[in-house]
């Protein structure tokens, strides 16, 4: 009867939504970690991507795509070989140790969705943990009864900061139409080093976001 009364008052809706968000976060984690991030399959696909890349006027047409020295496929523009995955990845961003997979052309948008859902779960969990700690007392008895909750809150705060900074940095790079690898290794990448523009792929914030997510 008590459960029925809480349901009628809507008190069970928030825990249910929280559980669904956690479940969604777990499913997204497995989806992003297990899916193909955009592995380069063969030279025919690479040649097609090269033609598309050369159609961009800001990229010098004299730049020739090289053959990967590890997997021996012809690398499309913006691709890079990942030695952990043992594959060349299209529009390579980085290899993420959290998901044990590369973040590339195919799973990068879903990776952003995963980070967003994870951030919501962490913020919600932090709020719940803080609500149990607001009656703080400087006593050993209080610490004994709230030690687990206190440690949980500290861990949630740390992970929230990490996820928030990671999400902000990715959204910034996406708005500029660049990748983490291109941003960190600009001076070593031929199609960026020889370009007249600092970022030849930038087509404006709105168009960059539209092409990435849509």
């Amino acid at each position: 009867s008590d459960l029925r009364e809480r349901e009628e008052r809507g008190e069970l809706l928030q825990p249910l939504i929280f559980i669904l968000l956690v479940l969604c976060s777990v499913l997204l984690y497995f989806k992003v970690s297990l899916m193909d991030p955009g592995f380069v399959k063969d030279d025919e696909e690479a040649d097609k991507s090269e033609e598309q890349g050369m159609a961009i006027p800001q990229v010098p047409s004299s730049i020739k795509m090289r053959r990967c020295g590890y997997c021996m496929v012809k690398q499309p523009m913006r691709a890079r070989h990942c030695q952990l995955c043992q594959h060349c990845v299209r529009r390579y961003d980085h290899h993420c140790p959290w998901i044990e997979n590369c973040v590339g052309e195919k799973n990068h948008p879903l990776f952003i969705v995963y980070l967003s859902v994870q951030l919501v779960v962490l913020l919600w969990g932090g709020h719940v943990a803080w609500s149990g700690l607001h009656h703080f007392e400087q006593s050993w008895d209080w610490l004994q009864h709230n030690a687990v909750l206190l440690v949980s809150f500290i861990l949630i705060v740390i992970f929230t900061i990490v996820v928030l900074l990671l999400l902000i940095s990715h959204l910034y790079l996406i708005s500029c139409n660049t990748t983490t690898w291109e941003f960190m290794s600009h001076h070593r990448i031929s199609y960026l080093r020889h370009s007249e523009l600092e970022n030849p792929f930038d087509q404006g914030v709105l168009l960059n976001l539209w092409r990435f997510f849509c």
Side-chain angles (χ1 to χ4, degrees), residues 7 38 54 100 150 154 163 172:
E7 183 181 359
M54 291 309 170
E100 296 184 359
L150 181 61
I154 293 173
V163 172
Y172 168 74

Side-chain angles (χ1 to χ4, degrees), residues 78-127:
R78 312 191 79 179
R80 184 176 186 267
H81 183 86
C82 176
Q83 296 195 28
L84 294 173
C85 292
Q86 295 296 312
H87 283 285
C88 285
V89 181
R90 295 179 180 277
R91 202 181 181 279
Y92 176 87
D93 188 87
H94 71 288
H95 183 93
C96 181
W98 287 14
I99 62 174
E100 296 184 359
N101 193 12
C102 282
V103 176
E105 185 178 74
K106 290 186 178 180
N107 66 346
H108 199 171
L110 205 59
F111 180 73
I112 299 300
V113 175
Y114 164 68
L115 288 179
S116 302
V117 174
Q118 191 67 49
L119 182 61
V120 172
V121 171
L122 286 168
L123 289 173
W124 196 334
H127 172 72

Side-chain angles (χ1 to χ4, degrees), residues 20 22 29 59 69 71 75 82 84 86 88 91 97 101-102 118 122 127 129 134 138 156 164 166 168-169 197:
L20 289 175
V22 172
Y29 171 82
V59 178
C71 54
Q75 283 187 337
C82 176
L84 294 173
Q86 295 296 312
C88 285
R91 202 181 181 279
N101 193 12
C102 282
Q118 191 67 49
L122 286 168
H127 172 72
H134 69 280
Q138 293 183 350
I156 288 173
L164 179 61
L166 190 60
I168 290 174
S169 64
L197 300 176

Side-chain angles (χ1 to χ4, degrees), residues 28-97:
L28 282 169
Y29 171 82
F30 283 109
K31 177 64 176 177
V32 174
S33 62
L34 296 176
M35 72 182 294
D36 177 2
F39 295 135
V40 180
K41 298 296 173 65
D42 51 44
D43 286 354
E44 183 179 351
E45 291 185 4
D47 290 337
K48 183 178 179 181
S49 289
E50 180 179 346
E51 291 174 3
Q52 292 174 349
M54 291 309 170
I56 302 173
Q58 296 93 333
V59 178
S61 59
S62 59
I63 296 176
K64 301 299 181 183
M65 298 298 99
R66 68 184 185 88
R67 188 171 294 277
C68 177
Y70 296 97
C71 54
M72 302 309 294
V73 299
K74 195 173 183 182
Q75 283 187 337
M77 186 172 288
R78 312 191 79 179
R80 184 176 186 267
H81 183 86
C82 176
Q83 296 195 28
L84 294 173
C85 292
Q86 295 296 312
H87 283 285
C88 285
V89 181
R90 295 179 180 277
R91 202 181 181 279
Y92 176 87
D93 188 87
H94 71 288
H95 183 93
C96 181

